[in-house]
C-alpha cells in the first residue's frame, strides 16, 4: 500500500512540475539618493495568492542580480529589501526579462523596516538573518530540521553545525544561552513554529562585541529569536521508554517564557549510553554519545537533572544561572594484546585483561551577571562551580613475553580509588569606551581555585623473571590532596590612530598559578595490622609555581573589505618547584621568549572571504616533563623528568577562503595549515631486554612539520512545491613528519592521508528524505628505520540516512553504516554493517507519539578492533551496547501562542563511534 501511495504522489508531482515554466529575471539595484550600487540587497519573488517565496537571490558587489527559477503562475510579485532603505515591490509577468535599474529610497526608521521586511535573507554587516517562514519544512519540524534548509549551513548526524566550514560553538535563544553548552538540547527541542528569525554571525565575547572588536572568525554563533507573541507562556516535553534486555529511558524538559524572564527544568535517565534527552526518537549509532553527561566506558547508567534561569532588570542588569546534577555508573570489561617492535628487529608481547566499575556524582552551577552602566561602560561577571565525587574499582592482570615468547614479567593489580574534586572559577571584565573613534580600556581579572582529595587502596603483585628475578608486592593506602590557585589579569588599551580604522592595542597579561601536591603512601604493616609504614619512594610533597608576564603591542587596521593586524609580545615565564621530600630535585627555570604574528582578512563581497595568518609561539615543558623525580608508581614503567628541556618553537601559517554564490546556490570553503616545530618535547624510552621494564624520560627533537588542507563544494537544486537536492563534495588531506624514539634510537615517520567524500541530501517535501554518503581514505606511512615496514592501505565508509513520512502521521527513520578497513589482520573482521531504525506514530492530535526503535538490527556491534602503528600492533575488545528494541511514548505541551501547538518530531541524538 505504501509503495502505491508513493507512486501516485510521484506521478502527481511530476505532472504538476511538467506544467511549470522556466524563467530568468535580472536587474540592478541602486540607492535613489546617490545612485550607489547596493551590494547584498535581497531580491525575492512572491506568489500573489499566498505570498509564499518562489525564489530569491542577493545582489553582487555591482548591485546586479539574477533569479533563475520556474513556476506555474503567470504573474509574481518582485520584492527588493535592504537595511536602511524602504522596500520596493512590483507585479511582473513570468517571462525572461531584465527589469533594468531599480532605486531604493532611504528609510527614516531602520528598525521598522527590519521588522516589516518579508525578505527570506537579510544581511546586516557581519550577520546573516534568515526569515523562518520563507523556508519550507515538514509541519512538525524542529530547529535542526530548519537549519538543514538554510544555504551554507550543514548539520551532521551527531548534531554538529557548520556554516561555510566554520563550526557553530554557540546557540542562543533571544541572545541568551539555552540550557548550558549542548546545542542539541536547543536545536532538537525548539519547534520551528515559535522561531521568527535565525541570525548567524562570527562568535565574539560580550566584551569584544561591546568594544567593536573583530573576532578571529574561526567559529560561528546562531541566535534564534522567538516571535513576540510566543515570548510568553511555556512549552516542554516528557518521554519514557522500556525495552528488551531491561533497557529503559526517561526524559523531560519544560521552559517558561515571561518576556525577559525565562526559567527551564530538565531531567533524564537511561541505561543506553546517552545523556537522556532523546524523547523517544533516538537515532543511535555505534553505541554511544560523546556528549554524555556521565563518565566511563562500557555500559553506562546515568541520571541528569537541571534548572536554568535568565532575567533582565531595568534594562541595565541581566542575570543568568543554571545548575545540573548528574550521576552515573559504568561497567566495563576489556582485553588488550599488543606486539611492540624494537629498533633491533626484535619485538615483545604484552597481554592484559581488566574489569572496572566507575561511579560518579557531579554538581555543576554557573552564574553570569551582565551590567551595562551606560552606553560606554559595561561589566561582565561569570562564576562556575563544579563538585565531583568519584569511585573507581579496578582489577587487572597482565603479562609480558620476549621475542622468543618467553614469559619475562607478569602482574596483578586490584585497586579502589575515591576522589572528591571541587573547582571554582571566576572572571570579571570591565570595558569602557571613549569618544567616537574606537578607543577603549578593558580590564579582566580571573581567580580560579580547585582542590582534589583522593583515597586509594592498591594491592598488587609484580613478578620479574629471567637472569635477575624479582618480586614486588604492594599492599598500600594513599592519601592525596592537590590544591591549585590561579590568579590572572589582563589590561588592554586601544589607541585610535585613524578614527575607527587604524588602532594600536597596548596590553599586559599576568598569570600566577600555585600548585600544592601532597600524596602520602603507606605500606601495610603486619605488626600493627594497619597502613602505618610510610613509603618515601611512592610519596610526593611538592609546591609548584608557574608565573607568566606578557606585555604586547598589536597594530590593527579594518575597513569594509580589509582587516589586518600584527602583534609582538615578550613572554617571561618562571617555573619553580620545591620538593619537600627530595630537596635535590628542586628546580627554578626562567624562560624569556619573543612571540609574534600577523593576520590578514579580505572580504571581496558579503559572501566571499579570504584570510591568512602567521604565528610564532613557544610552548614551555610541563612540570612532569621537567622535574627530575623518578616516578616508580608503576614498577614496569618508570618515568623520570628532564630539567634541561627547552621550550618548543612553533611556526604556523594558516589560510582560508569561503564563498557562497546566491545566484547559483553553490558554495565552497577551503583551508590550509602549515606548521613547523623545533625542540618539540617527546618521550624517550629504554626497554630492558631481560625484564622488559621501561625507563622513560623526555628529550627535545627538531624537524617536526605538519601540513593539513581541505575544502568543500556544495550545490543545491530546488523545485517549487516538490523538494530539493543538495550535493556536496569534500576532501581532506594531511602530510606529517614526526620525530620519535624507539628503544633509545631516534627515527622519523612520514604520514600522508587523503580522504575525499561525496554526499547527497534529497528532500521530497512531506514524503521522503534520503542522505547517502560515501568516503574513501588513502593512507601512506614511511619510516627511516629498517625494522619498521612502510604501510599503505585504503578504507571505505558508506552511510545512508532515510526518513519517510507516509502515511501522514507515520514517520520511519533509518541509519545504516558500512565500513571496510583492509588494515586488519586475517582472522579479524575487516568489514561491518550497522543499522538502527525508528518507527514513530503521532497521536493525541499530534501532541503525542508512540515510537518503536531497534538498535543494531543486524546484531553486529562489536568493540573488537586492531590498531596498527609504526612500532606496535594491538588487538583490543571491551564491553559494548548490544542489540535491543524499545517502545516509547512522548507527549508535548505548549502555550507559546497558537502557532506552536503541533507535536515536534524528528528529534535526534549525537552518537559516538
Amino acid at each position: 500500500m505504501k509503495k502505491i501511495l508513493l507512486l501516485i504522489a510521484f506521478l502527481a508531482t511530476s505532472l504538476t512540475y511538467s506544467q511549470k515554466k522556466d524563467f530568468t529575471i535580472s536587474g540592478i539595484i541602486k540607492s535613489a539618493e546617490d545612485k550607489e550600487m547596493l551590494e547584498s540587497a535581497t531580491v525575492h519573488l512572491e506568489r500573489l495568492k499566498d505570498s509564499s517565496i518562489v525564489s530569491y537571490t542577493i545582489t553582487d558587489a555591482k548591485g546586479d542580480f539574477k533569479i533563475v527559477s520556474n513556476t506555474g503562475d503567470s504573474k509574481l510579485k518582485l520584492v527588493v529589501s535592504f537595511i536602511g532603505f524602504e522596500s520596493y515591490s512590483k507585479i511582473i509577468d513570468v517571462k525572461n526579462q531584465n527589469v533594468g535599474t531599480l532605486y531604493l529610497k532611504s528609510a527614516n526608521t531602520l528598525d521598522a523596516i527590519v521588522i516589516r521586511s518579508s525578505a527570506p535573507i537579510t544581511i546586516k554587516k557581519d550577520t546573516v538573518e534568515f526569515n523562518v517562514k520563507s523556508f519550507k519544512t515538514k509541519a512538525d519540524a524542529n530547529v535542526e530540521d530548519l537549519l538543514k534548509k538554510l544555504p551554507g549551513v550543514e548539520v551532521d548526524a551527531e548534531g554538529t553545525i557548520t556554516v561555510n566550514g566554520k563550526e557553530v560553538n554557540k546557540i542562543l535563544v533571544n541572545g541568551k544561552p539555552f540550557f548550558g553548552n549542548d546545542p542539541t538540547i536547543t536545536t532538537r527541542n525548539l519547534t520551528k513554529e515559535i522561531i521568527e528569525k535565525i541570525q548567524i554571525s562570527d562568535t565574539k565575547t560580550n566584551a569584544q562585541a561591546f568594544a567593536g572588536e573583530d573576532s578571529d572568525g574561526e567559529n560561528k554563533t546562531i541566535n534564534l529569536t522567538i516571535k513576540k507573541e510566543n515570548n510568553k507562556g511555556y512549552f516542554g516535553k516528557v518521554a519514557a521508554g522500556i525495552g528488551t534486555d531491561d533497557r529503559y529511558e526517561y526524559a523531560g524538559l519544560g521552559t517558561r517564557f515571561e518576556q525577559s524572564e525565562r526559567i527551564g527544568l530538565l531531567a533524564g535517565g537511561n541505561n543506553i549510553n546517552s545523556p537522556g534527552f532523546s524523547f523517544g526518537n533516538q537515532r543511535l549509532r555505534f553505541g554511544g554519545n560523546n556528549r554524555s553527561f556521565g563518565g566511563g566506558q562500557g555500559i553506562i547508567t546515568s541520571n541528569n537533572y537541571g534548572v536554568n534561569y535568565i532575567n533582565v532588570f531595568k534594562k541595565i542588569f541581566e542575570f543568568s544561572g543554571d545548575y545540573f546534577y548528574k550521576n552515573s555508573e559504568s561497567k566495563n570489561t576489556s582485553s588488550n594484546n599488543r606486539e611492540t617492535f624494537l629498533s633491533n628487529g626484535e619485538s615483545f608481547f604484552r597481554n592484559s585483561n581488566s574489569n572496572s566499575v566507575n561511579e560518579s556524582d557531579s554538581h555543576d552551577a554557573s552564574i553570569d551577571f551582565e551590567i551595562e552602566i551606560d552606553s560606554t561602560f559595561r561589566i561582565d561577571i561569570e562564576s562556575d562551580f563544579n563538585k565531583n565525587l568519584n569511585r573507581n574499582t579496578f582489577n587487572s592482570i597482565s603479562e609480558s613475553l620476549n621475542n622468543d615468547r618467553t614469559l619475562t614479567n607478569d602482574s596483578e593489580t586490584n585497586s579502589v580509588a575515591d576522589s572528591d574534586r571541587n573547582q571554582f572559577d571566576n572572571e570579571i571584565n570591565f570595558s569602557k569606551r571613549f569618544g567616537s573613534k574606537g578607543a577603549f580600556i578593558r580590564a579582566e581579572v580571573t581567580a580560579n581555585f580547585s582542590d582534589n582529595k583522593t583515597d586509594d587502596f592498591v594491592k598488587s603483585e609484580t613478578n620479574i623473571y629471567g637472569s635477575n628475578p624479582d618480586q614486588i608486592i604492594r599492599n598500600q593506602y594513599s592519601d592525596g590532596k592537590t590544591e591549585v590557585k590561579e590568579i590572572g589579569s589582563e589590561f588592554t588599551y586601544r589607541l585610535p590612530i585613524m578614527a575607527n580604522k587604524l588602532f594600536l592595542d597596548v596590553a599586559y597579561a599576568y598569570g600566577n598559578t600555585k600548585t600544592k601536591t601532597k600524596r602520602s603512601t603507606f605500606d601495610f604493616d603486619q605488626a600493627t595490622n594497619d597502613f602505618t609504614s610510610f613509603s618515601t619512594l611512592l610519596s610526593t610533597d611538592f609546591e609548584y609555581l608557574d608565573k607568566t608576564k606578557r606585555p604586547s603591542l598589536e597594530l590593527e587596521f579594518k575597513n569594509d573589505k580589509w582587516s589586518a593586524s600584527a602583534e609582538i609580545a615578550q613572554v617571561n615565564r618562571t617555573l619553580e618547584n620545591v620538593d619537600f621530600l627530595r630537596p635535590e630535585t628542586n628546580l627554578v627555570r626562567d624562560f624569556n621568549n619573543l612571540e609574534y604574528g600577523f593576520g590578514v582578512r579580505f572580504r571581496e563581497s558579503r559572501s566571499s572571504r579570504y584570510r591568512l595568518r602567521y604565528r610564532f609561539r613557544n610552548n614551555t615543558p610541563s612540570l612532569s616533563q621537567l622535574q627530575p623525580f623518578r616516578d616508580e608508581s608503576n614498577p614496569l614503567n618508570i618515568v623520570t623528568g628532564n630539567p634541561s628541556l627547552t621550550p618548543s618553537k612553533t611556526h604556523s601559517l594558516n589560510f582560508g577562503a569561503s564563498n557562497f554564490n546566491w545566484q547559483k546556490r553553490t558554495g565552497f570553503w577551503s583551508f590550509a595549515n602549515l606548521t613547523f616545530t623545533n625542540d618539540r618535547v617527546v618521550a624517550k624510552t629504554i626497554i630492558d631486554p631481560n625484564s622488559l621494564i621501561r625507563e622513560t624520560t623526555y628529550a627535545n627533537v627538531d624537524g617536526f612539520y605538519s601540513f593539513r588542507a581541505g575544502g568543500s563544494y556544495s550545490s543545491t537544486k530546488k523545485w517549487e512545491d516538490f523538494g530539493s537536492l543538495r550535493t556536496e563534495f569534500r576532501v581532506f588531506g594531511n602530510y606529517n613528519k614526526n620525530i620519535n624514539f624507539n628503544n633509545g634510537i631516534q627515527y622519523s615517520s612520514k604520514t600522508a592521508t587523503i580522504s575525499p567524500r561525496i554526499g547527497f541530501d534529497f528532500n521530497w517535501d512531506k514524503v521522503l528524505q534520503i542522505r547517502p554518503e560515501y568516503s574513501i581514505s588513502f593512507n601512506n606511512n614511511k619510516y627511516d628505520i629498517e625494522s619498521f615496514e612502510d604501510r599503505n592501505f585504503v578504507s571505505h565508509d558508506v552511510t545512508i540516512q532515510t526518513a519517510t513520512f507516509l502515511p501522514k502521521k507515520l514517520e520511519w527513520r533509518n541509519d545504516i553504516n558500512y565500513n571496510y578497513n583492509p588494515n586488519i589482520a586475517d582472522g579479524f573482521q575487516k568489514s561491518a554493517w550497522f543499522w538502527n531504525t525508528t518507527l514513530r506514530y503521532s497521536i493525541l492530535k499530534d501532541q503525542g507519539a508512540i515510537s518503536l526503535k531497534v538498535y543494531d538490527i543486524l546484531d553486529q556491534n562489536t568493540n573488537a578492533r586492531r590498531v596498527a602503528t609504526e612500532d606496535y600492533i594491538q588487538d583490543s575488545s571491551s564491553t559494548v551496547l548490544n542489540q535491543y528494541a524499545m517502545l516509547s511514548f512522548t507527549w508535548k505541551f505548549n502555550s507559546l501562542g497558537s502557532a506552536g501547538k503541533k507535536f515536534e518530531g524528528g528529534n535526534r541524538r549525537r552518537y559516538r563511534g
Side-chain angles (χ1 to χ4, degrees):
M1 181 64 184
K2 180 181 289 189
K3 292 182 179 179
I4 295 175
L5 291 173
L6 284 171
L7 180 60
I8 293 173
F10 178 74
L11 292 175
T13 304
S14 300
L15 180 63
T16 301
Y17 185 72
S18 66
Q19 298 174 347
K20 293 182 179 180
K21 181 179 180 181
D22 295 329
F23 65 89
T24 300
I25 308 293
S26 60
I28 300 175
I29 309 299
K30 293 183 178 181
S31 64
E33 282 74 10
D34 54 15
K35 306 302 185 289
E36 179 184 0
M37 296 176 180
L38 298 181
E39 178 190 356
S40 299
T42 303
V43 184
H44 72 274
L45 296 170
E46 294 180 359
R47 278 179 162 175
L48 300 182
K49 61 180 180 180
D50 58 8
S51 297
S52 61
I53 304 295
V54 174
S55 187
Y56 65 90
T57 190
I58 302 293
T59 58
D60 61 18
K62 297 181 180 180
D64 293 332
F65 74 89
K66 180 188 288 186
I67 297 178
V68 179
S69 187
N70 58 75
T71 184
D73 298 351
S74 60
K75 292 182 180 294
L76 296 171
K77 180 189 283 190
L78 175 70
V79 182
V80 184
S81 56
F82 190 70
I83 291 294
F85 292 82
E86 295 180 2
S87 294
Y88 172 91
S89 65
K90 65 180 294 188
I91 307 299
I92 62 171
D93 294 324
V94 176
K95 62 180 181 179
N96 295 332
Q97 59 178 304
N98 186 317
V99 298
T101 302
L102 306 179
Y103 296 96
L104 301 187
K105 296 179 181 179
S106 296
N108 294 323
T109 307
L110 176 61
D111 290 342
I113 298 299
V114 174
I115 292 172
R116 290 199 300 267
S117 174
S118 60
I121 296 177
T122 303
I123 297 180
K124 308 175 182 179
K125 295 184 178 180
D126 292 330
T127 299
V128 180
E129 182 178 88
F130 297 93
N131 191 345
V132 169
K133 70 178 182 180
S134 301
F135 297 89
K136 293 181 179 179
T137 62
K138 58 191 179 74
D140 57 357
N142 58 17
V143 171
E144 184 177 282
D145 296 325
L146 177 62
L147 290 173
K148 293 177 181 178
K149 299 289 185 179
L150 304 184
V153 179
E154 302 170 25
V155 186
D156 67 15
E158 295 181 337
T160 301
I161 306 166
T162 56
V163 179
N164 289 328
K166 300 295 183 182
E167 185 170 347
V168 174
N169 64 342
K170 278 187 181 180
I171 292 191
L172 309 175
V173 176
N174 284 347
K176 308 303 171 189
F178 187 79
F179 277 115
N181 59 4
D182 185 350
T184 59
I185 295 179
T186 305
T187 59
R188 293 173 174 176
N189 294 306
L190 289 183
T191 58
K192 171 190 173 182
E193 284 75 13
I194 67 173
I195 306 297
E196 183 175 27
K197 306 283 187 182
I198 294 179
Q199 299 165 336
I200 302 178
S201 60
D202 290 339
T203 297
K204 295 182 179 181
T205 65
N206 289 335
Q208 285 177 323
F210 182 74
E213 292 182 273
D214 284 340
S215 70
D216 60 10
E218 293 300 313
N219 296 103
K220 294 290 185 179
T221 292
I222 291 180
N223 181 45
L224 309 173
T225 64
I226 301 285
K227 294 178 182 180
K228 187 175 181 180
E229 64 269 23
N230 287 342
N231 209 24
K232 185 175 183 179
Y234 55 87
F235 84 95
K237 288 180 292 184
V238 292
I242 187 168
T244 58
D245 297 328
D246 296 322
R247 301 297 170 203
Y248 71 88
E249 66 174 343
Y250 68 92
L253 180 148
T255 301
R256 177 181 177 272
F257 290 83
E258 185 68 33
Q259 301 306 326
S260 63
E261 184 182 46
R262 189 175 79 213
I263 185 169
L265 301 171
L266 61 79
N270 63 79
N271 61 357
I272 53 174
N273 291 7
S274 68
F277 305 108
S278 60
F279 295 103
N281 193 25
Q282 194 173 31
R283 301 177 67 182
L284 290 172
R285 299 179 61 202
F286 309 118
N289 185 306
N290 58 7
R291 287 184 179 177
S292 173
F293 290 148
Q297 297 179 337
I299 304 297
I300 303 173
T301 300
S302 63
N303 296 282
N304 318 276
Y305 310 96
V307 60
N308 172 267
Y309 180 78
I310 293 176
N311 203 356
V312 177
F313 303 91
K314 297 184 179 180
K315 297 183 179 181
I316 66 169
F317 176 78
E318 179 176 309
F319 170 83
S320 63
D322 55 53
Y323 166 77
F324 291 94
Y325 169 71
K326 314 156 195 176
N327 69 63
S328 67
E329 180 183 70
S330 62
K331 298 179 179 180
N332 186 48
T333 298
S334 64
S335 65
N336 292 279
N337 301 300
R338 175 183 290 196
E339 179 181 5
T340 301
F341 307 103
L342 303 178
S343 57
N344 61 2
E346 295 185 348
S347 61
F348 69 91
F349 306 85
R350 180 175 174 83
N351 308 315
S352 64
N353 294 279
S354 66
N355 293 281
S356 65
V357 177
N358 183 276
E359 301 171 88
S360 175
D361 283 272
S362 177
H363 302 264
D364 291 278
S366 67
I367 57 173
D368 294 294
F369 299 93
E370 299 178 18
I371 308 167
E372 197 161 312
I373 306 300
D374 55 40
S375 61
T376 66
F377 186 33
R378 177 186 178 93
I379 303 173
D380 291 279
I381 304 172
E382 180 178 350
S383 294
D384 299 287
F385 174 76
N386 169 264
K387 182 179 182 64
N388 185 272
L389 300 171
N390 188 279
R391 163 166 284 206
N392 187 70
T393 303
F394 178 79
N395 305 292
S396 73
I397 56 173
S398 65
E399 62 177 11
S400 298
L401 302 93
N402 64 17
N403 192 63
D404 298 324
R405 299 278 184 169
T406 300
L407 183 66
T408 58
N409 66 65
D410 59 34
S411 66
E412 181 175 355
T413 302
N414 300 280
S415 70
V416 178
D418 294 321
S419 67
D420 181 357
R421 185 178 183 274
N422 298 281
Q423 178 81 29
F424 187 35
D425 297 333
N426 303 274
E427 179 181 315
I428 182 168
N429 186 293
F430 302 89
S431 299
K432 174 67 177 178
R433 297 190 306 214
F434 298 95
S436 59
K437 298 181 179 180
F440 69 81
I441 290 178
R442 180 168 61 239
E444 182 179 294
V445 179
T446 58
N448 304 325
F449 309 95
S450 69
D451 67 80
N452 187 23
K453 300 176 182 177
T454 59
D455 292 293
D456 301 332
F457 291 90
V458 178
K459 194 172 185 179
S460 67
E461 178 180 325
T462 302
N463 297 296
I464 300 171
Y465 306 102
S467 57
N468 295 304
D470 192 11
Q471 184 179 58
I472 304 171
I473 297 177
R474 291 177 177 172
N475 186 8
Q476 298 166 332
Y477 164 73
S478 296
D479 179 9
K481 183 175 183 180
T482 299
E483 294 181 348
V484 180
K485 297 179 180 179
E486 180 182 359
I487 305 296
S489 61
E490 184 172 0
F491 174 85
T492 304
Y493 172 64
R494 168 162 289 190
L495 174 67
I497 299 175
M498 295 174 57
N500 299 309
K501 288 188 176 181
L502 183 62
F503 310 94
L504 177 65
D505 289 354
V506 182
Y508 181 83
Y510 173 80
N512 190 327
T513 302
K514 188 174 184 179
T515 303
K516 293 182 178 180
T517 296
K518 185 175 183 178
R519 182 180 179 87
S520 300
T521 301
F522 300 88
D523 291 315
F524 187 80
D525 191 331
Q526 296 288 349
T528 62
N529 199 33
D530 200 356
F531 296 96
T532 55
S533 179
F534 184 76
S535 173
T536 304
L537 178 67
L538 300 177
S539 298
T540 58
D541 186 2
F542 64 84
E543 187 173 286
Y544 176 51
L545 182 66
D546 182 353
K547 186 183 296 184
T548 304
K549 302 172 185 177
R550 189 180 189 273
S552 65
L553 293 174
E554 183 174 8
L555 193 65
E556 181 177 327
F557 172 80
K558 64 178 181 178
N559 60 19
D560 290 340
K561 290 187 176 292
W562 289 93
S563 174
S565 63
E567 181 193 32
I568 187 169
Q570 175 69 29
V571 181
N572 171 259
R573 189 172 185 183
T574 300
L575 302 180
E576 181 179 355
N577 181 72
V578 178
D579 194 323
F580 298 102
L581 291 179
R582 305 167 188 84
E584 68 277 7
T585 66
N586 292 350
L587 66 86
V588 178
R589 292 289 307 274
D590 282 306
F591 302 94
N592 290 283
N593 303 295
L594 195 65
E595 296 185 340
Y596 46 85
F598 67 85
V600 178
R601 283 194 292 169
F602 173 62
R603 188 179 67 181
E604 184 179 16
S605 66
R606 293 293 178 94
S607 59
S608 179
R609 296 187 180 188
Y610 305 87
R611 73 182 191 281
L612 178 69
R613 185 173 61 193
Y614 164 77
R615 291 287 186 270
F616 172 71
R617 292 292 183 264
N618 293 273
N619 296 311
T620 305
S622 66
L623 171 65
S624 61
Q625 295 169 335
L626 284 168
Q627 188 183 18
F629 164 58
R630 184 177 171 85
D631 184 358
E632 299 186 40
S633 56
N634 182 350
L636 298 179
N637 186 19
I638 300 169
V639 181
T640 306
N642 179 2
S644 63
L645 293 174
T646 60
S648 61
K649 304 169 181 63
T650 301
H651 301 264
S652 60
L653 186 66
N654 305 307
F655 169 80
S658 63
N659 180 62
F660 188 85
N661 189 319
W662 299 97
Q663 311 279 0
K664 299 180 180 180
R665 298 291 192 274
T666 61
F668 84 90
W669 56 264
S670 61
F671 74 92
N673 301 329
L674 182 61
T675 301
F676 295 92
T677 303
N678 285 328
D679 289 326
R680 189 179 187 184
V681 178
V682 299
K684 184 177 181 181
T685 300
I686 302 293
I687 302 173
D688 187 297
N690 296 314
S691 65
L692 298 182
I693 293 177
R694 304 162 65 91
E695 288 270 1
T696 300
T697 186
Y698 301 94
N700 290 110
V701 296
D702 294 335
F704 169 85
Y705 62 80
S706 173
F707 176 73
R708 297 177 61 247
S712 170
Y713 175 82
S714 63
S715 64
T716 301
K717 175 66 176 177
K718 293 178 122 354
W719 297 277
E720 184 185 7
D721 295 331
F722 177 67
S724 64
L725 174 64
R726 184 175 187 276
T727 304
E728 182 190 23
F729 176 77
R730 286 192 182 192
V731 61
F732 294 96
N734 63 72
Y735 184 77
N736 301 316
K737 179 183 178 182
N738 289 290
I739 310 296
N740 287 296
F741 291 90
N742 179 272
N743 205 22
I745 304 298
Q746 182 174 318
Y747 72 96
S748 68
S749 61
K750 296 179 180 179
T751 304
T753 303
I754 185 168
S755 303
R757 181 177 72 180
I758 187 168
F760 302 91
D761 188 351
F762 173 73
N763 283 272
W764 183 357
D765 293 341
K766 301 179 182 180
V767 177
L768 172 69
Q769 293 178 2
I770 181 169
R771 300 179 69 182
E773 184 178 278
Y774 168 72
S775 63
I776 183 172
S777 181
F778 302 91
N779 298 270
N780 176 269
N781 304 293
K782 293 184 177 181
Y783 313 100
D784 66 354
I785 186 170
E786 292 184 359
S787 57
F788 294 167
E789 294 183 3
D790 295 343
R791 290 190 177 92
N792 298 282
F793 60 92
V794 180
S795 61
H796 306 262
D797 193 85
V798 177
T799 300
I800 302 175
Q801 299 176 7
T802 68
T804 58
F805 307 102
L806 288 177
K808 184 178 180 180
K809 292 182 179 293
L810 183 67
E811 181 179 324
W812 180 27
R813 292 187 178 271
N814 293 278
D815 284 298
I816 303 170
N817 180 268
Y818 171 77
N819 177 264
Y820 174 74
N821 185 358
N823 190 36
I824 300 293
D826 294 336
F828 286 82
Q829 187 173 345
K830 297 177 183 289
S831 63
W833 286 92
F834 196 82
W835 180 12
N836 302 314
T837 190
T838 300
L839 282 169
R840 164 181 291 236
Y841 188 76
S842 297
I843 59 175
L844 301 177
K845 298 181 179 180
D846 292 338
Q847 292 185 345
I850 296 175
S851 64
L852 174 66
K853 58 185 177 184
V854 181
Y855 174 80
D856 188 17
I857 290 178
L858 303 178
D859 199 18
Q860 292 190 10
N861 191 24
T862 176
N863 210 16
R865 62 186 63 187
R866 166 166 286 202
V867 177
T869 70
E870 63 269 24
D871 62 349
Y872 73 83
I873 295 177
Q874 176 173 289
D875 301 317
S876 63
S877 65
S878 61
T879 303
V880 296
L881 188 65
N882 296 123
Q883 181 190 74
Y884 71 89
M886 181 171 289
L887 184 67
S888 302
F889 170 74
T890 308
W891 178 65
K892 173 191 171 184
F893 52 92
N894 191 347
S895 71
L896 298 179
S898 59
K901 294 184 178 178
K902 293 185 178 180
F903 179 78
E904 180 205 83
N907 290 310
R908 298 178 293 281
R909 289 208 135 325
R910 290 194 59 149
Y911 310 104
R912 178 175 58 197

